[in-house]
Amino acid sequence: MSAAFEFSYAYPFESAISTEGNQSNLRLATFGGAEKSPYFFDGYLAHPKTTADLLLTLSAISRTRFYSPGEIRERLLAAADPVVTCDGTQLRFEVFSVCCGGYARLDLTDTAIDGNWLSKGTTNVDFNPPMRAALSTVFHGDKAGLKIGDHGLELVKATESVTERKVKLPVRWLKSFVEVQSYQTELKLIAEIAPLELAKLLHTLPQQNILKAGSITYLVPSGRSMRLSQRPAPGAVAIGAISRLKILEPILRYAKSVKIYGSASSISAFELLLPQGKFVLVLSPNAARGFSGEGQALSDLVQKVDDSALAKVKAALTWQSKLNVEQVARDTEIAIADVKSALQILGTRGLVGFDISESCYYHRELPFNIDLVEDLHPRIKKARKILADGRVRLNLDNRTTTAYVTGDTLQHVVDLSGEPTCTCPWYKQYDGKRGPCSHIMASEMALLEHNLETDSAT
Amino acid sequence: MSSRLSPDDVEAFLRDNSQEQVFETLAQLTAEDRTALVPKFRQMASIYQFRLSSAIQEERIELSKAQRGIPATEEPTANLATERTKLWLRPAIDRCATCLLFCCEYNELKEAGHTAVPSTEYAVKVIATRKPKWISQWCKFILAARSHTNFFTVYRLEQLGLVKLKHDSNYLACAAQSLTSVAGMADFIAASPQLIQDVIDILKSPLSLRAMAIAVSPDSNAAPLNEQKTSFVEFCSEVPSQNEHANRWLNCIQFLAEKNIITNDTVIESSFSQLFSASEIPEKKKNSWAPSESTTDFLIALHDRIAVDKSNLSNRYIPLIAASNTAIASYAMNNLLNTPTDKLVLTNVLSYLPMVFNTRSKELSDLAFKLLKKLEPRAMEKQELYDDSVLSALTHKSGVTHKQALNLIQKMSLLKNSETLNKFETRITWLEGINRSRARDLLEAAKRELANTATKTPDKQLSEIGQGAPLLSPVFDCAPSITQAIEEMIANNFNAKDALSELAGFDHLAQTYSASERDNNKLADAILKPIDLYSFEYPRLSDSTRVSPINDTNDLIIEATRAIAGKKTAEETEQVVDGIARMWKNRPTDFTEKMAPLTSRLEAETQTQFQLRGISLPLYPLVFSWFFGLPITQYSCHPFATVWTARIVCLAERMRQGLELPMLAAPTHKGGWIDPTELVRRVKLYQQSNRLLFNSLKGSSKFDFLNPLKSLFKGSDNASTEIWDSIEMTQALLRIAPDKQARQKALNQCHEITGEIAQTMKYALGSGSIDSIELPYFQVAAHRARDPFTSCKIKGEDLGLPDTAEVATYILNKEAFVNSRASTQDSLNNAIKVLKVTHSNIYKTLYVARNAPSDRLSHIAELVSQSDYYYLYPTSMLHSFYTNIFAPDFQEDFVLVWPLNMEPVISNVANLCFQYINSSSQRWLGQWDFLFSPDLTLAKNGSWLLCFALANNSNETARLALDLVIAAVDENRADAKAIGNCIVEVSDVMSYKPSRLVKVLRELSKVSPLHALFTWEMIETVVKKLKGRTLTVYLELALELVEEYGFALTKDSEQELANLLKKSKPAILVAKMIQRSKETTNIQKRQEAYNQATLQSLQSRLNRQQRWASS
């Protein structure tokens, strides 16, 4: 499988901060999406320095590789520009860390920006190093304009020069965008604490960036606050490689409050509630585990769905910032459960994102070809091949549902009676925590086919 | 030379012709002829390279000798090598490279690498002659080598218009590396518009700028720059040194800027951009993209030279003052300090200053205070921002910074309004010791002043970050009716006749609380008194803790797979083995199919030794034996033997005899307990199969079983069979639950059991006499099963081992502490004895084989025979040398050996905690889950364990220890004073920082009033007895507890501490503590804390009593 695909960011101009008199103007170049280089917004930053710091932290995450398993590729640092979605009321900037173990989103609402909403959509924005350096010099008292995209500049400069950066976007980066939606739906709000409390906890972490990739630390209630613990407890949040949280330190002072989310699978999320919107950081269970390899969305990807229902739900997407499931169900005349399933599937296709604080999906369309994900996912490909080769034999009796799957060298036993288990080494290693193995997926597909055949026969 | 050059002539051709002649000759050849010569040229290139490497090596040796004053060697070969190098080898290599470049296609050139790159002059001539299609690719390829020659070759080709390359980061980096080798580089660059643009681009990219700052090592195999420099050493001197390389660039850029060839603004803009990029990466980070310190130094030096008037750039330095890269932050800060105050934009500086205190650098915080002091005259202009900056210093890590901030706050009277006061109060919890106390004083004084101010402004809505967020539910906010709640609880639950309530300590605490003359010291003793959890008076067996045996083959296969994968606990693995023991003959039709993946995997993994560790290891041969129905000895097994391994061998032996019998010692309940009635049932089953009769062993002395054991694999006989069963039986006896009713019931069922085991069972269950037991190991096991903490007499010679006839006693081995500091090796050897038992012969060295023979199980038998008593006297084995060494791997197993007495296991863990006290790793910890059992006391050896673990250098270990002590305090199973005494005992010899321990204790005190009281008792014990400098850190924490909870020193403690040197820091702290504890508010706080702790302790004891009662 190819580990990366060629992607060309072709911006009509370079993002930059220009100064006119006593006003600085932040112009973010856009590329991709429904339109080639969309023009979303033209206005002012209400809190220039805060917003600049938030954008810098977001950008820092996209350039951070929390986990470095040996081969470091400098090109990866330049690989991924943030994805921005405009729904006409707010701007959502999304990024992944280079290692794909951290996902961050900055939502800027109308309290942060004041101006004209020109269009809706999703695109990439150029975050080049000089622009980042200039962003750091934005101060509180400055009057700062903001433009996301710019038709005028595009027309003038399109024929002259285009800022083009050909990068090899790692497939895992793309897969992470798909996986993180599935994980976010699992997250539950565990606690809300004062930012100073979180800052205090971060101060207790080692000074040097000792990551300890696989270590899980728990945040547990203690007295009037929370403390770090090594053991799970009621009300505890499991955080993998907690040192990664230190990236939030510079912007904690802007937050009014911090919401902490946790899940059974040790995914954690930290939501900084800001006067300007919110900043969300979602961390994978382990610094060595990017969201890309988790495989939680795999079952959704292979799920057989009613295509017409899926098409109807897809047609109902109009850049909503909150997708009300009941409303969509009413509009499309589809059952609520089906709408939920459809949204899950659309999430795996990059068509909706998930907002943990609102606990709902929102419409955004990733400016990449998401079909690649399904095509390139080795486990799905392998499962389909196993099924096509007829290497799955179901053994159904009244009590148990077992499948015998012939792998590359061995025959594996898949028990589908309850939570699926497999005797393959991959399953043995991860214990089902990183999604189903190819044998389980092939067996589930075979069982689904069997049930469909049985249904049609009766 | 004729145009008909044949491969045979190549060697002479290269040797005898000049470069020009070689070029001319090749130019006359046809393309086909040139292609035919390629293999020979490549061969020659390899030969030359080999010779060159050898010559260089010899030359280096000679040079090294000369540098150290050693006379040069007289051997002719060395001189010959040098001569060869100087005279003909290098030119020959260059000629060969010219030939290769002339004759090869691009792929061949790539394969040949640097051996096919001639000097610039001939590379250009050849390329100009050939004009190949792949010229661009080749140029990019040779640029990747970052060689000076290669860059100038490409540069020359560009000049001639033969190639047009995109000047990407690689090109620019190569240029940055190479241009410093040109004499008069500034003029050279100034003469070329293209190079000027390249220099501007180099300044913009972090990658190429790094090449400006850091010179790469010259390619030792590269061709020389020119023919004049024939010596390798001479060639090296051509390349500027690291410092010279960077300096040449600095001089060059300064020259270009002065001549206005590159504008100052361009360089300044670029340097700011680069400083910003570099500022995000802390120094010493080893990642490849991180600028090394020399890059940072270069950047700073470059900026310093170009930016002459820095005061006009002050706004640009501001964002850099909080950089992660301390060098850059410090540079920016110094520039601001050198800027006239009126030129600084106050809002901008003050909005960034708080971020400086986010960094942990002491140097930066000092500079920040200098800046704050400098801005002091203008503070009024932006008072709120100024206050924020100073208050932010309170969140810094250093106590010195806190002190500086408090000084400034006091000096400038910053606490003038309620908003600042609130912010200040929020940050007080960040302070420690005397600083916190002083901050409280400042706060109180400010509050009073504010209250007295007639023109007091109404309180504003808090704008402080986080103030708006709801806090977590406070655990110990004292309810107004707390006394009433305590009294109600006592009234509803006090029952002096209830043994469980008495045992849980509820009654004692209730009585102490209700006593008319309530003494806080007595109350604290009652609140904190640990429960006797080794008592036989409370039940261990309940339905909720019952373990379900595996009764289905399908389940057994799945569970066995998971056990092999290490996904099962020791208790669960016991159930898997028990399942195999009972059902190994049961083979459903698809048994082979279902087992195939498991056995295939095992077969594959067996090829790699030691892949599995711990309790899952012995399952290897067992699963094979189960699957193939063959003797276990045919399969590999780890040579390291434990009781667990021996029991599995015992099972294999039964399988060989075709018996399906349960494991005698398989636990029936969690915690490793066996229901005694179940054990009786199992024994009967065994005896029905003619096992457990022990006739052949009677009358034997203590080591008589060795010979039958060794002969086990030569042929089965009664003696060997009975020895294996003895191991299983002793283990089963040690797991009999101390449940009085169940023991009595089991005793009544013993009448059907016959022989030696009947006497043993009866004695273990509380009846009969030890003298009626013949075999000494059964005597010991039976006695330890009914009386773990008393001594007994056994037949025959006393083994002199701990926890056999005599009970183990523990002493602190101070020598081990001293030795551990002397050398690492001593630490390893002696640390295990830090907490040692008072039996000298326990440290018998065991033979642990690294290379096991092919018949692994025979080998285990051999091991067992050498370590005799460890298997038949498991209570003694728990103290052995090698349980310490291998404890992390086998801890789970050891925990289940003797659940009635966990002190040996706890002492092992304590020893490990000491041994690795300064390690930052927690890998050696092993499995600690058992320590969190609410029915395990940590009041004995557990105190040592906590003392060592809480002071551990590993954050994870210290955190885990904190979790443990929090749970232990909650459940009344730790002893505060005992831990305090341990700290005192080791304080003069221990090699750790007490502040590490105090940091964790501070966290403990924040959990609840009960935990705070526990910490106070511990600290008071310590400060009362401790002498020396380390006392201060403990007193600082004590002062914090006095201020937080109002705790007060006892009269005894005050007297002990009265001898402190006056005006010493400890004496000041003690005086402050005494003064504080007498204040009315603190007396109230103390009462509330004691009440709350009483309520917590009562509730905890009641919960325990109810849990026991429901069993």
Side-chain angles (χ1 to χ4, degrees), chain A residues 74 205 227 230 253 393, chain B residues 207 280 360 465 593 963:
Chain A
E74 292 184 9
L205 298 176
R227 69 177 174 87
Q230 290 301 105
R253 66 204 185 111
R393 183 164 60 81
Chain B
L207 288 176
E280 293 181 316
R360 300 181 190 185
I465 49 162
E593 209 167 11
D963 291 335

Side-chain angles (χ1 to χ4, degrees), chain B residues 227-240:
Chain B
E227 297 280 345
Q228 306 302 316
K229 307 287 169 78
T230 49
S231 153
F232 173 76
V233 177
E234 216 175 340
F235 169 66
C236 281
S237 66
E238 178 86 355
V239 180

